[in-house]
Amino acid sequence: MYAISAFWINAKITATLKGFSSTEDKRLGVWFVSNVGGIIDDKVFAEKVLKFLWDDVFKFKRPQIFADGIDTLEKLINSFEKPSEGKERFDVFKDKANLVAFVASPTL
């Protein structure tokens, strides 16, 4: 799921930062996070991808991107690594419904 979600994340970056000088350096590249046997470790994803999104990409748009109540990087990473009861990892994103629809899309 993490590889596919990179496409969604890049689309979200481009759409959210539209009008800024460039989104090229903010998008996730193929090799941003190394995988082992096609799997990206949850901790690595949280520490690299979520940290990058929080610190660099969406630093001025955090309330639009991340779920309500996530107001620090620590809360973001903890909510992803150990979701509270009834929650899933990607509930850290406010627009998770679109992420799920994108991942389930037969056009991928």
Side-chain angles (χ1 to χ4, degrees):
M1 180 165 177
Y2 299 144
I4 293 171
S5 65
F7 294 115
W8 179 84
I9 289 170
N10 284 337
K12 191 69 171 173
I13 289 169
T14 301
T16 303
L17 300 181
K18 192 175 194 173
F20 281 72
S21 60
S22 173
T23 61
E24 192 73 28
D25 65 330
K26 301 297 184 202
R27 292 183 288 175
L28 299 179
V30 176
W31 299 106
F32 188 81
V33 178
S34 300
N35 70 68
V36 177
I39 307 270
I40 298 170
D41 179 79
D42 294 335
K43 188 157 188 70
V44 171
F45 184 87
E47 297 288 334
K48 289 191 82 179
V49 175
L50 294 180
K51 184 177 184 334
F52 174 66
L53 295 175
W54 182 268
D55 286 343
D56 295 322
V57 178
F58 296 126
K59 64 183 166 189
F60 299 115
K61 303 242 179 195
R62 291 175 186 151
Q64 292 173 253
I65 302 300
F66 300 106
D68 295 337
I70 296 181
D71 54 5
T72 66
L73 177 59
E74 181 180 19
K75 283 183 186 177
L76 175 62
I77 290 174
N78 286 341
S79 295
F80 180 83
E81 289 181 340
K82 299 173 192 155
S84 55
E85 190 170 331
K87 297 280 187 178
E88 297 175 7
R89 292 185 191 283
F90 285 94
D91 285 342
V92 298
F93 292 103
K94 193 169 264 186
D95 196 12
K96 184 197 168 222
N98 283 332
L99 169 62
V100 172
F102 181 85
V103 170
S105 171
T107 61
L108 288 177

XYZ file of all heavy atoms in Angstrom, residues 31-96:
552
model
N 12.751 6.219 -5.105
C 13.712 5.687 -4.144
C 13.746 6.470 -2.834
O 14.698 6.378 -2.073
C 15.105 5.643 -4.753
C 15.132 4.747 -5.946
C 15.191 5.122 -7.247
C 15.039 3.319 -5.939
N 15.150 4.026 -8.054
C 15.063 2.904 -7.287
C 14.944 2.352 -4.941
C 14.994 1.565 -7.653
C 14.873 1.031 -5.314
C 14.893 0.654 -6.647
N 12.705 7.256 -2.566
C 12.695 8.054 -1.333
C 12.834 7.168 -0.100
O 13.546 7.488 0.828
C 11.410 8.890 -1.252
C 11.420 9.869 -0.108
C 12.081 11.073 -0.233
C 10.784 9.582 1.080
C 12.108 11.977 0.813
C 10.796 10.469 2.135
C 11.471 11.682 1.991
N 12.153 6.055 -0.116
C 12.229 5.106 0.995
C 12.578 3.740 0.409
O 11.902 3.254 -0.485
C 10.884 5.007 1.750
C 10.963 3.984 2.858
C 10.488 6.356 2.310
N 13.634 3.149 0.907
C 14.038 1.821 0.433
C 13.069 0.771 0.947
O 12.522 0.887 2.033
C 15.438 1.485 0.929
O 16.352 2.431 0.440
N 12.895 -0.273 0.149
C 12.044 -1.365 0.592
C 12.863 -2.642 0.682
O 13.927 -2.749 0.099
C 10.852 -1.544 -0.348
C 11.250 -2.077 -1.702
O 11.682 -3.218 -1.825
N 11.103 -1.258 -2.729
N 12.366 -3.556 1.457
C 12.992 -4.874 1.591
C 11.965 -5.883 1.129
O 10.915 -6.043 1.761
C 13.410 -5.145 3.058
C 13.991 -6.539 3.195
C 14.383 -4.083 3.549
N 12.234 -6.526 0.006
C 11.287 -7.489 -0.534
C 9.962 -6.866 -0.915
O 8.920 -7.499 -0.814
N 9.998 -5.593 -1.329
C 8.772 -4.904 -1.725
C 7.972 -4.330 -0.577
O 6.912 -3.778 -0.763
N 8.488 -4.442 0.644
C 7.785 -3.959 1.841
C 8.563 -2.789 2.448
O 9.775 -2.862 2.609
C 7.675 -5.065 2.912
C 7.072 -6.321 2.321
C 6.969 -4.579 4.150
C 5.597 -6.432 2.389
N 7.845 -1.737 2.774
C 8.449 -0.606 3.485
C 8.026 -0.707 4.939
O 6.829 -0.740 5.250
C 8.001 0.734 2.889
C 8.454 0.838 1.435
C 8.549 1.896 3.708
C 7.859 2.007 0.686
N 8.982 -0.772 5.810
C 8.734 -0.874 7.243
C 7.909 0.330 7.722
O 8.159 1.465 7.314
C 10.089 -0.939 7.962
C 9.951 -1.016 9.454
O 9.675 -2.111 9.960
O 10.122 0.039 10.101
N 6.922 0.072 8.582
C 6.058 1.137 9.101
C 6.854 2.252 9.770
O 6.571 3.431 9.577
C 5.056 0.561 10.111
C 4.058 -0.383 9.464
O 3.815 -0.260 8.256
O 3.540 -1.252 10.184
N 7.840 1.882 10.559
C 8.636 2.879 11.276
C 9.431 3.741 10.295
O 9.502 4.955 10.445
C 9.566 2.207 12.278
C 10.281 3.197 13.175
C 10.723 2.521 14.454
C 11.259 3.478 15.456
N 10.269 4.350 16.060
N 10.004 3.104 9.279
C 10.765 3.848 8.264
C 9.831 4.804 7.521
O 10.162 5.968 7.296
C 11.466 2.884 7.282
C 12.066 3.630 6.107
C 12.537 2.076 8.000
N 8.642 4.323 7.152
C 7.668 5.177 6.462
C 7.329 6.382 7.335
O 7.342 7.526 6.862
C 6.401 4.384 6.138
C 5.399 5.173 5.341
C 5.457 5.202 3.963
C 4.397 5.886 5.987
C 4.532 5.937 3.220
C 3.471 6.618 5.263
C 3.538 6.649 3.883
N 7.042 6.131 8.598
C 6.670 7.221 9.506
C 7.816 8.203 9.696
O 7.630 9.422 9.602
C 6.226 6.650 10.854
N 9.002 7.682 9.954
C 10.153 8.541 10.257
C 10.666 9.302 9.038
O 11.215 10.388 9.174
C 11.291 7.714 10.864
C 10.956 7.070 12.190
C 10.867 8.053 13.347
O 11.512 9.119 13.288
O 10.137 7.751 14.312
N 10.497 8.754 7.842
C 10.999 9.435 6.654
C 9.892 10.172 5.899
O 9.971 11.378 5.713
C 11.703 8.438 5.727
C 13.032 7.968 6.302
C 13.832 7.215 5.300
C 14.556 8.200 4.405
N 15.392 7.579 3.407
N 8.876 9.440 5.465
C 7.850 10.053 4.616
C 7.000 11.041 5.409
O 6.842 12.199 5.000
C 6.972 8.980 3.945
C 5.828 9.620 3.163
C 7.814 8.095 3.035
N 6.435 10.608 6.525
C 5.577 11.511 7.294
C 6.358 12.708 7.824
O 5.853 13.833 7.815
C 4.886 10.759 8.431
C 3.872 9.701 7.993
C 3.250 9.028 9.217
C 2.798 10.283 7.095
N 7.576 12.492 8.247
C 8.420 13.605 8.720
C 8.674 14.594 7.591
O 8.589 15.807 7.778
C 9.734 13.087 9.292
C 10.605 14.179 9.879
C 11.860 13.613 10.501
C 12.735 14.605 11.188
N 12.706 15.979 10.779
N 8.983 14.092 6.396
C 9.204 14.962 5.238
C 7.947 15.762 4.910
O 8.007 16.975 4.667
C 9.642 14.111 4.039
C 9.770 14.860 2.752
C 10.738 15.838 2.582
C 8.922 14.582 1.686
C 10.852 16.535 1.378
C 9.034 15.264 0.484
C 10.002 16.242 0.335
N 6.797 15.092 4.910
C 5.547 15.786 4.623
C 5.259 16.865 5.662
O 4.842 17.975 5.336
C 4.378 14.795 4.555
C 4.429 13.777 3.420
C 3.279 12.784 3.550
C 4.413 14.454 2.059
N 5.496 16.550 6.931
C 5.231 17.493 8.027
C 6.200 18.675 7.999
O 5.787 19.832 8.050
C 5.328 16.762 9.360
C 5.019 17.630 10.536
C 5.910 18.354 11.282
C 3.734 17.883 11.101
N 5.256 19.037 12.271
C 3.920 18.764 12.184
C 2.462 17.440 10.798
C 2.865 19.212 12.966
C 1.400 17.888 11.575
C 1.611 18.764 12.645
N 7.494 18.364 7.917
C 8.523 19.402 8.029
C 8.697 20.249 6.772
O 8.970 21.447 6.876
C 9.886 18.777 8.358
C 9.994 18.304 9.794
O 9.173 18.727 10.638
O 10.903 17.505 10.069
N 8.577 19.625 5.619
C 8.921 20.332 4.391
C 7.754 20.617 3.448
O 7.596 21.728 2.985
C 9.988 19.538 3.614
C 11.295 19.460 4.372
O 11.669 20.449 5.011
O 11.933 18.400 4.326
N 6.977 19.615 3.162
C 5.967 19.757 2.109
C 4.755 20.559 2.572
O 4.348 21.512 1.912
C 5.526 18.375 1.583
C 4.442 18.523 0.531
C 6.718 17.613 1.026
N 4.164 20.171 3.679
C 2.915 20.791 4.109
C 3.064 21.663 5.346
O 2.100 21.870 6.082
C 1.863 19.708 4.366
C 1.485 18.926 3.139
C 1.565 17.549 3.132
C 1.054 19.565 1.988
C 1.206 16.811 2.009
C 0.696 18.847 0.849
C 0.773 17.467 0.857
N 4.242 22.208 5.579
C 4.454 22.970 6.814
C 3.524 24.180 6.939
O 3.234 24.606 8.050
C 5.913 23.376 6.969
C 6.450 24.302 5.935
C 7.923 24.557 6.189
C 8.571 25.214 4.990
N 10.006 25.270 5.164
N 3.040 24.704 5.818
C 2.122 25.839 5.877
C 0.663 25.427 5.654
O -0.232 26.268 5.672
C 2.515 26.894 4.839
C 3.897 27.440 5.057
C 4.893 27.219 4.122
C 4.219 28.137 6.213
C 6.175 27.700 4.324
C 5.500 28.619 6.424
C 6.480 28.405 5.475
N 0.420 24.147 5.443
C -0.928 23.656 5.137
C -1.302 22.455 6.006
O -2.175 21.671 5.643
C -1.001 23.251 3.667
C -0.629 24.356 2.707
C -1.775 24.675 1.852
C -1.395 25.798 0.896
N -2.548 26.363 0.294
N -0.658 22.285 7.123
C -0.890 21.101 7.967
C -2.357 20.894 8.329
O -2.850 19.770 8.230
C -0.038 21.177 9.230
C 1.432 21.009 8.955
C 2.254 21.201 10.216
N 3.672 21.183 9.902
C 4.575 21.832 10.605
N 4.226 22.527 11.674
N 5.842 21.779 10.266
N -3.092 21.927 8.748
C -4.504 21.698 9.123
C -5.361 21.191 7.962
O -6.363 20.536 8.181
C -4.981 23.076 9.593
C -3.731 23.795 9.981
C -2.672 23.298 9.032
N -4.979 21.485 6.736
C -5.738 21.023 5.575
C -5.436 19.562 5.246
O -6.249 18.897 4.630
C -5.380 21.864 4.345
C -5.854 23.292 4.423
C -5.316 24.075 3.255
O -4.418 24.882 3.413
N -5.849 23.819 2.081
N -4.280 19.076 5.630
C -3.810 17.763 5.214
C -3.977 16.706 6.292
O -4.431 15.594 6.031
C -2.327 17.829 4.792
C -2.140 18.830 3.650
C -1.785 16.451 4.448
C -2.921 18.502 2.393
N -3.594 17.047 7.508
C -3.573 16.054 8.579
C -4.859 16.101 9.405
O -5.482 17.145 9.549
C -2.337 16.249 9.458
C -1.060 16.113 8.673
C -0.297 17.213 8.351
C -0.644 14.869 8.217
C 0.870 17.091 7.602
C 0.507 14.725 7.467
C 1.272 15.847 7.153
N -5.227 14.954 9.934
C -6.473 14.812 10.698
C -6.518 15.768 11.885
O -5.482 16.170 12.430
C -6.609 13.371 11.183
N -7.731 16.106 12.262
C -7.931 16.971 13.427
C -7.259 16.353 14.642
O -7.293 15.139 14.839
C -9.419 17.157 13.699
C -10.119 17.913 12.576
O -9.441 18.650 11.830
O -11.348 17.752 12.436
N -6.645 17.201 15.454
C -5.973 16.739 16.660
C -4.502 16.419 16.447
O -3.762 16.257 17.409
N -4.081 16.314 15.206
C -2.658 16.067 14.934
C -2.011 17.426 14.719
O -2.100 18.016 13.644
C -2.464 15.135 13.722
C -3.054 13.763 14.037
C -0.987 15.028 13.372
C -2.918 12.736 12.945
N -1.380 17.915 15.793
C -0.792 19.249 15.731
C 0.708 19.260 16.020
O 1.309 20.321 16.134
C -1.531 20.200 16.666
C -1.609 19.690 18.091
O -1.015 18.633 18.401
O -2.287 20.341 18.911
N 1.295 18.076 16.136
C 2.746 17.975 16.285
C 3.238 16.778 15.474
O 2.467 15.853 15.196
C 3.184 17.767 17.755
O 2.724 16.480 18.196
C 2.659 18.869 18.668
N 4.506 16.811 15.115
C 5.103 15.679 14.400
C 5.041 14.427 15.253
O 4.762 13.332 14.753
C 6.549 15.995 14.006
C 7.320 14.877 13.305
C 6.628 14.451 12.015
C 8.747 15.323 13.031
N 5.256 14.573 16.536
C 5.204 13.426 17.440
C 3.825 12.759 17.416
O 3.712 11.538 17.331
C 5.555 13.858 18.866
C 5.556 12.730 19.855
C 5.912 13.175 21.263
O 5.811 14.381 21.568
O 6.276 12.310 22.065
N 2.761 13.544 17.447
C 1.407 12.985 17.383
C 1.167 12.304 16.040
O 0.520 11.262 15.972
C 0.354 14.075 17.592
C 0.181 14.498 19.022
C -0.924 15.528 19.125
C -1.021 16.084 20.527
N -2.049 17.139 20.610
N 1.676 12.892 14.976
C 1.520 12.312 13.644
C 2.156 10.931 13.581
O 1.523 9.955 13.183
C 2.137 13.236 12.583
C 2.168 12.707 11.154
C 0.757 12.474 10.627
C 2.931 13.672 10.261
N 3.407 10.850 14.002
C 4.126 9.574 13.944
C 3.501 8.555 14.888
O 3.286 7.404 14.505
C 5.626 9.783 14.220
C 6.252 10.532 13.031
C 6.338 8.458 14.465
C 7.682 10.944 13.219
N 3.171 8.963 16.095
C 2.556 8.033 17.052
C 1.194 7.538 16.562
O 0.871 6.356 16.710
C 2.401 8.685 18.426
C 3.710 8.811 19.159
O 4.685 8.129 18.850
N 3.769 9.730 20.114
N 0.400 8.429 15.971
C -0.915 8.032 15.464
C -0.799 7.069 14.296
O -1.651 6.204 14.112
C -1.713 9.264 15.024
O -1.990 10.091 16.115
N 0.267 7.208 13.506
C 0.489 6.297 12.397
C 1.007 4.950 12.887
O 0.517 3.902 12.485
C 1.477 6.900 11.383
C 1.745 5.999 10.222
C 0.885 5.974 9.143
C 2.850 5.156 10.204
C 1.112 5.129 8.061
C 3.093 4.315 9.139
C 2.216 4.301 8.063
N 2.006 4.981 13.769
C 2.634 3.739 14.232
C 1.730 2.934 15.160
O 1.748 1.709 15.128
C 3.954 4.041 14.935
C 5.043 4.491 13.980
C 6.366 4.770 14.673
O 6.384 4.996 15.907
O 7.382 4.752 13.974
N 0.959 3.623 15.990
C 0.080 2.943 16.952
C -1.297 3.596 16.912
O -1.652 4.376 17.803
C 0.663 3.058 18.358
C 2.024 2.424 18.515
C 2.613 2.728 19.879
C 4.074 2.337 19.877
N 4.869 3.051 20.836
N -2.073 3.280 15.888
C -3.404 3.899 15.791
C -4.261 3.556 17.013
O -4.191 2.444 17.534
C -4.003 3.275 14.532
C -2.896 2.591 13.818
C -1.823 2.323 14.820
N -5.036 4.514 17.447
C -5.924 4.256 18.577
C -7.034 3.311 18.118
O -7.256 3.110 16.927
C -6.492 5.559 19.130
O -7.120 6.299 18.117
N -7.720 2.739 19.085
C -8.752 1.744 18.793
C -9.786 2.300 17.814
O -10.273 3.420 17.961
C -9.448 1.314 20.086
C -10.352 0.127 19.894
C -10.844 -0.447 21.206
O -10.137 -0.337 22.211
O -11.944 -1.018 21.184
N -10.080 1.507 16.798
C -11.039 1.917 15.787
C -10.443 2.761 14.674
O -11.146 3.162 13.757
N -9.164 3.050 14.756
C -8.484 3.868 13.743
C -7.527 3.008 12.941
O -7.109 1.936 13.372
C -7.689 4.999 14.411
C -8.521 5.992 15.160
C -9.135 6.966 14.206
C -9.848 8.081 14.966
N -10.404 9.057 14.072
N -7.164 3.488 11.761
C -6.176 2.843 10.903
C -5.015 3.808 10.703
O -5.146 5.008 10.946
C -6.804 2.499 9.554
C -7.946 1.506 9.670
C -8.635 1.268 8.340
O -8.150 1.764 7.306
O -9.670 0.590 8.352
N -3.901 3.284 10.232
C -2.698 4.098 10.061
C -2.932 5.361 9.239
O -2.508 6.442 9.602
C -1.586 3.282 9.408
C -1.051 2.194 10.294
C 0.123 1.507 9.625
N 0.494 0.309 10.335
C 1.175 0.285 11.476
N 1.549 1.387 12.039
N 1.471 -0.857 12.049
N -3.604 5.217 8.104
C -3.752 6.352 7.212
C -4.882 7.297 7.608
O -5.176 8.248 6.891
C -3.868 5.879 5.755
C -2.542 5.443 5.223
C -2.154 4.106 5.263
C -1.646 6.367 4.719
C -0.920 3.700 4.791
C -0.394 5.981 4.241
C -0.029 4.643 4.283
N -5.475 7.065 8.780
C -6.427 8.026 9.326
C -5.709 9.297 9.766
O -6.362 10.268 10.138
C -7.193 7.428 10.509
C -8.256 6.437 10.070
O -8.645 6.457 8.885
O -8.692 5.630 10.915
N -4.389 9.316 9.708
C -3.633 10.534 10.033
C -3.864 11.611 8.977
O -3.626 12.785 9.232
C -2.111 10.274 10.197
C -1.845 9.327 11.348
C -1.477 9.781 8.909
N -4.357 11.200 7.793
C -4.659 12.164 6.743
C -6.123 12.553 6.797
O -6.994 11.701 6.933
C -4.351 11.583 5.356
C -2.886 11.375 5.105
C -2.332 10.110 5.179
C -2.067 12.453 4.811
C -0.982 9.913 4.949
C -0.714 12.262 4.579
C -0.162 10.995 4.646
N -6.401 13.817 6.665
C -7.761 14.316 6.682
C -8.557 13.770 5.497
O -9.732 13.497 5.603
C -7.734 15.845 6.647
C -9.044 16.497 6.959
C -8.876 17.969 7.154
C -8.745 18.226 8.638
N -8.705 19.620 8.998
N -7.905 13.599 4.377
C -8.561 13.178 3.141
C -8.370 11.684 2.887
O -8.165 11.260 1.767
C -7.971 13.996 1.985
C -8.814 13.944 0.740
O -9.961 13.473 0.804
O -8.307 14.366 -0.311
N -8.468 10.886 3.926
C -8.214 9.451 3.803
C -9.202 8.768 2.863
O -8.848 7.837 2.154
C -8.254 8.784 5.162
C -7.897 7.316 5.069
C -8.315 6.564 6.295
C -8.199 5.088 6.006
N -9.290 4.335 6.518
